[in-house]
Amino acid sequence: MSTDYNADQIQILTGLEGVRRRPGMYIGSISARGLHHLVYEIVDNSVDEALAGFCREIDVTICQDNSVVVVDDGRGIPVDIQKKAGISALEVVFTILHAGGKFGGGGYKVSGGLHGVGSSVVNALSEKLEVEVRRSGKIYEAKFSRGKVTQHVKVIGECNPAEHGTRVHFLPDSTIFEETVIDFDTLKVRLRETAFLTKNLKIVLKDERQGQEREETFHYEGGIQEFVTYLNRGKTPLYDQVIYCEGVKDNVLVEAAMQHNDTYNENIFSFVNNINTPEGGTHLTGFKNAVTKTFNDYARTNKLLKDSEENLSGEDIREGMTAIISVKVQDPQFEGQTKQKLGNTEVIGAVSSVVSEQLTYFLEQNPTAARAILEKSILAQRARAAARKARDITRRKSALDSTALPGKLADCSSKNPDECEIFIVEGDSAGGSAKEARSRATQAILPLRGKILNVEKARMDHVYENAEIKSMITAFGTGIHEDFDISKLRYNKIIIMTDADVDGAHIATLMLTFIYRFMPELIKQGHVYLAQPPLYKLEKNQKIWYAYSDEELNNILKDVGRDQNNKIQRYKGLGEMDAEQLWETTMDPDRRILLRVNMDDDALSELDVTFTTLMGDQVEPRREFIEQNAKYVTNLDV
Ligand code: TTJ
């Protein structure tokens, strides 16, 4: 790896005007998501310095005015005049689009993901940005506003020659962003992930805003091994160790960590140069190949599989597996529509050779763990065969029989999915009101009885036998898992409608968990919604108001006056509303509130844990989740 990194290496491409004109092109959006991306863009530069071996700590501070300070103890951005541009390298970094070592090769760069666009973009989108560099006994400073230099680099003091580092303080431009409040928890999830992926790097996140002062430190000596332990928290591991493989092959640095738990789900997260790759790619392929082959080899050698028996499938072996696969690649090629899939072919062999060798060694050294995994895999193989049989029957039925739709479904008359929606309703009685209330042409109703099966805790074959789940699968039309086909979706909106209480939230989450595990694409593509029935009805002088929160009720009461003419009803469930009320408040597309369910790519591992925590046995995290449920959905006026 070349560490001879100087001003000349920083290449110049183009100017910043366009960034301010079309910010979405560079940071994805100008919503909260884009706002937080600014922070990651800056922090990633320091992480690059850590990966190069020169930075041990990064401090990120949210200030009173929602500006952010990022400080590292790296070598410091070079300040010398760059020949090509005739200005200081530091100014090049912050004022010229696509500057920064990223395109120059040499070292593994964090940046380069979907929106890995660099510090000049952050500068263009900041009302003010100030940089301080400590190098060779001097303190340098430069200032910018909306991409333009307001103070050229100058020496503002001296420091101990042993000191070195970079400090960037920026205030996102409030004339550009729709949201300017930085969310501590959002940064926390991402920075924790970064710390897990960069062994030994210490990241400190501070909030200095009045009334919400706090500080958290992320520092993991175990790296991705600790990441796996973290992801498996609240679950029961099948064995104590976290299996860890590490090595360099063909210039690819490979790290993999895994541990099985007693659930039936596979949770594998893959990263290239610390960038999350939700669509996987060659590193994931190499990992899966190695795992499948190594376990089958071990099973044969140790007579856990008979000669007459079929090989275990990859899916069987990965049942209940939590894993992180992280590679560092010199020149990563990202493919696919969203450029989130690693394409470098040499990575398949590199990963599979490192993983095969070290996993084989682990299994030989730890026969108890090996046996536990293989016993689970063999059970999975049997369950999968039973499930396949059940599914084939369902499939045949629906292929032959056009009336295979579930009996309880009151379908809409339109066959154009774009205008159709389906309400999944808790309970037969609410289902009855909903059927009466609906707009028959475009709204279908599927009532479900009581609590649906918790798919987190059920084995595949039982899932297929569950009537409520079968109804949903047939009604949606898309099929599941490998059979999933979004073009067969029969409704553009899938709306979960449950009571506005804790039980209702629990049922909604069971349904979301099912959709997340069996047809995640429906959530990713934004087809899944939560209906929002009102909490209160206020009647006064023959007029009616509905309130969806305590705050809203208070506001209405402030307007109409608090007196004895107020008749306030607190709805305990959908069943307390008649058909007309249900229509007005919850179903009418012109008046209702819908929440769209999100899957945030920036926090994939966290989302998964959230569902799992909720569905597991622990009651406290569940309550907490339900209370914070609003975080995972966005307000949408439809
Ligand atoms: C470049 O080559 C010589 C020594 O240091 C290398 C460098 O640029 N290091 C570096 C950059 N450390 N930290 C940064 C950095 C930190 C922040 C917060 C923001 C930016 C844009 C860069």
Side-chain angles (χ1 to χ4, degrees):
M1 186 194 332
S2 141
T3 50
D4 177 20
Y5 186 129
N6 61 40
D8 291 336
Q9 232 172 313
I10 296 170
Q11 293 163 13
I12 299 166
L13 297 176
T14 169
L16 290 186
E17 282 306 310
V19 178
R20 290 186 57 80
R21 237 177 292 129
R22 305 178 69 187
M25 289 252 304
Y26 296 87
I27 51 162
S29 80
I30 51 169
S31 64
R33 186 145 187 222
L35 178 76
H36 293 89
H37 260 285
L38 297 186
V39 183
Y40 310 148
E41 285 295 342
I42 294 297
V43 171
D44 283 353
N45 290 282
S46 301
V47 176
D48 277 344
E49 187 69 353
L51 289 174
F54 298 99
C55 162
R56 304 155 70 91
E57 179 168 340
I58 304 171
D59 291 0
V60 179
T61 306
I62 310 167
C63 307
Q64 198 62 43
D65 59 351
N66 277 293
S67 63
V68 176
V69 179
V70 180
V71 186
D72 73 31
D73 59 356
R75 289 166 292 179
I77 304 176
V79 291
D80 51 317
I81 303 295
Q82 199 199 27
K83 286 188 206 106
K84 263 187 248 165
I87 55 172
S88 158
L90 183 145
E91 288 181 26
V92 171
V93 165
F94 283 98
T95 57
I96 296 175
L97 195 58
H98 284 166
K102 288 163 201 173
F103 298 89
Y108 306 114
K109 297 299 171 199
V110 170
S111 332
L114 186 54
H115 303 298
V117 286
S119 25
S120 61
V121 168
V122 178
N123 191 20
L125 302 176
S126 294
E127 261 166 70
K128 86 171 186 203
L129 184 145
E130 299 175 2
V131 190
E132 199 183 282
V133 170
R134 285 162 195 254
R135 265 178 93 97
S136 353
K138 293 200 177 68
I139 306 172
Y140 301 86
E141 185 189 66
K143 296 185 180 181
F144 307 86
S145 175
R146 304 195 159 102
K148 303 221 163 75
V149 180
T150 54
Q151 180 203 295
H152 286 287
V153 179
K154 66 174 187 194
V155 176
I156 58 159
E158 301 200 338
C159 62
N160 183 329
E163 253 187 273
H164 46 86
T166 304
R167 177 182 194 275
V168 172
H169 183 183
F170 69 98
L171 175 66
D173 193 336
S174 57
T175 65
I176 295 222
F177 288 93
E178 292 164 359
E179 175 64 74
T180 51
V181 180
I182 307 276
D183 181 49
F184 186 92
D185 290 322
T186 301
L187 294 187
K188 175 172 145 178
V189 169
R190 164 70 188 245
L191 294 178
R192 179 166 50 210
E193 181 177 289
T194 301
F196 276 130
L197 290 165
T198 321
K199 224 187 289 196
N200 286 322
L201 171 64
K202 178 172 168 187
I203 302 182
V204 182
L205 174 61
K206 281 186 212 138
D207 197 334
E208 288 184 345
R209 288 170 297 189
Q210 203 165 20
Q212 49 195 91
E213 293 88 350
R214 58 177 170 148
E215 176 172 328
E216 291 207 43
T217 300
F218 310 110
H219 185 197
Y220 306 105
E221 282 169 21
I224 61 168
Q225 232 174 333
E226 274 188 70
F227 200 170
V228 167
T229 303
Y230 174 81
L231 291 171
N232 267 345
R233 74 195 188 282
K235 298 179 194 168
T236 311
L238 270 196
Y239 43 94
D240 293 338
Q241 311 89 322
V242 175
I243 306 170
Y244 179 68
C245 314
E246 181 182 18
V248 185
K249 180 111 203 274
D250 296 338
N251 228 3
V252 181
L253 204 151
V254 179
E255 275 186 283
M258 69 196 109
Q259 186 187 46
H260 288 76
N261 59 55
D262 70 351
T263 74
Y264 307 108
N265 302 305
E266 166 181 335
N267 271 318
I268 306 182
F269 299 98
S270 62
F271 299 85
V272 179
N273 297 1
N274 282 18
I275 305 157
N276 192 346
T277 40
E279 293 179 41
T282 48
H283 53 332
L284 188 60
T285 306
F287 174 75
K288 288 183 176 176
N289 290 351
V291 167
T292 308
K293 179 160 190 323
T294 308
F295 276 102
N296 273 299
D297 287 353
Y298 181 90
R300 298 266 175 225
T301 314
N302 294 280
K303 306 272 180 264
L304 295 166
L305 270 183
K306 290 195 202 94
D307 288 347
S308 61
E309 283 175 317
E310 248 182 78
N311 257 4
L312 295 163
S313 74
E315 279 183 313
D316 296 333
I317 297 161
R318 297 192 304 271
E319 188 187 90
M321 178 193 275
T322 298
I324 300 288
I325 164 83
S326 170
V327 295
K328 302 278 164 39
V329 180
Q330 206 74 224
D331 181 24
Q333 304 296 321
F334 292 98
E335 294 179 343
Q337 274 188 340
T338 52
K339 298 267 176 248
Q340 292 181 325
K341 188 172 177 186
L342 184 67
N344 305 48
T345 48
E346 77 278 12
V347 175
I348 301 181
V351 174
S352 84
S353 110
V354 169
V355 173
S356 298
E357 188 191 308
Q358 295 183 33
L359 184 57
T360 302
Y361 181 74
F362 174 89
L363 297 180
E364 279 162 6
Q365 298 295 309
N366 298 276
T368 315
R371 184 168 285 270
I373 298 167
L374 282 159
E375 276 168 6
K376 183 170 172 55
S377 305
I378 289 164
L379 284 178
Q381 187 185 41
R382 291 191 196 136
R384 207 174 298 278
R388 198 173 304 127
K389 228 180 259 168
R391 200 171 44 180
D392 285 347
I393 293 166
T394 329
R395 224 191 268 151
R396 218 169 306 133
K397 246 194 226 152
S398 53
L400 296 176
D401 184 1
S402 61
T403 60
L405 286 170
K408 289 183 297 174
L409 174 73
D411 208 3
C412 49
S413 50
S414 167
K415 294 289 166 251
N416 172 10
D418 288 343
E419 60 177 19
C420 294
E421 33 189 63
I422 182 169
F423 286 82
I424 316 286
V425 188
E426 160 192 1
D428 283 336
S429 84
S433 304
K435 280 184 193 175
E436 206 180 306
R438 71 184 174 136
S439 163
R440 185 173 292 271
T442 56
Q443 295 183 321
I445 310 292
L446 180 65
L448 296 183
R449 205 167 295 126
K451 297 216 168 177
I452 76 160
L453 182 75
N454 182 351
V455 300
E456 287 294 323
K457 299 181 120 193
R459 184 140 232 158
M460 203 73 80
D461 44 344
H462 293 296
V463 173
Y464 287 101
E465 283 160 11
N466 182 264
E468 316 312 301
I469 293 214
K470 267 199 282 195
S471 302
M472 281 197 271
I473 298 175
T474 357
F476 297 173
T478 55
I480 59 169
H481 293 322
E482 57 265 49
D483 291 339
F484 183 84
D485 179 357
I486 191 101
S487 72
K488 300 225 175 88
L489 181 61
R490 302 179 63 248
Y491 311 94
N492 181 43
K493 291 196 179 73
I494 293 169
I495 304 169
I496 297 171
M497 186 157 77
T498 55
D499 291 345
D501 59 11
V502 173
D503 274 351
H506 187 212
I507 292 167
T509 323
L510 288 167
M511 293 184 197
L512 283 176
T513 306
F514 158 67
I515 297 173
Y516 170 65
R517 290 293 184 200
F518 286 69
M519 27 187 119
E521 224 27 58
L522 290 182
I523 299 179
K524 281 192 202 156
Q525 299 194 19
H527 291 291
V528 183
Y529 300 80
L530 299 178
Q532 289 297 99
L535 285 180
Y536 300 100
K537 176 172 131 183
L538 167 64
E539 223 179 315
K540 183 173 194 171
N541 310 329
Q542 265 107 44
K543 278 172 92 186
I544 293 174
W545 291 262
Y546 295 103
Y548 294 83
S549 65
D550 290 307
E551 193 190 355
E552 197 179 351
L553 177 68
N554 275 326
N555 287 339
I556 298 170
L557 286 172
K558 253 184 240 155
D559 283 350
V560 304
R562 293 173 205 264
D563 55 56
Q564 74 276 19
N565 292 330
N566 292 338
K567 270 196 274 170
I568 299 175
Q569 182 187 355
R570 191 185 199 310
Y571 287 119
K572 288 196 203 71
L574 296 166
E576 289 179 33
M577 277 183 265
D578 61 30
E580 196 186 325
Q581 290 172 332
L582 193 59
W583 168 255
E584 285 179 359
T585 60
T586 317
M587 294 175 68
D588 178 3
D590 292 331
R591 283 177 284 184
R592 71 189 178 195
I593 299 170
L594 284 187
L595 301 178
R596 174 185 261 153
V597 180
N598 280 330
M599 239 166 106
D600 186 353
D601 275 356
D602 293 332
L604 269 189
S605 60
E606 213 50 25
L607 174 95
D608 174 67
V609 165
T610 311
F611 277 109
T612 317
T613 309
L614 178 63
M615 293 297 97
D617 298 317
Q618 301 169 354
V619 176
E620 266 324 301
R622 177 178 308 169
R623 182 162 306 135
E624 206 173 290
F625 173 88
I626 292 165
E627 280 159 9
Q628 294 175 358
N629 213 0
K631 233 184 87 182
Y632 296 90
V633 291
T634 45
N635 242 311
L636 194 89
D637 12 299
V638 182

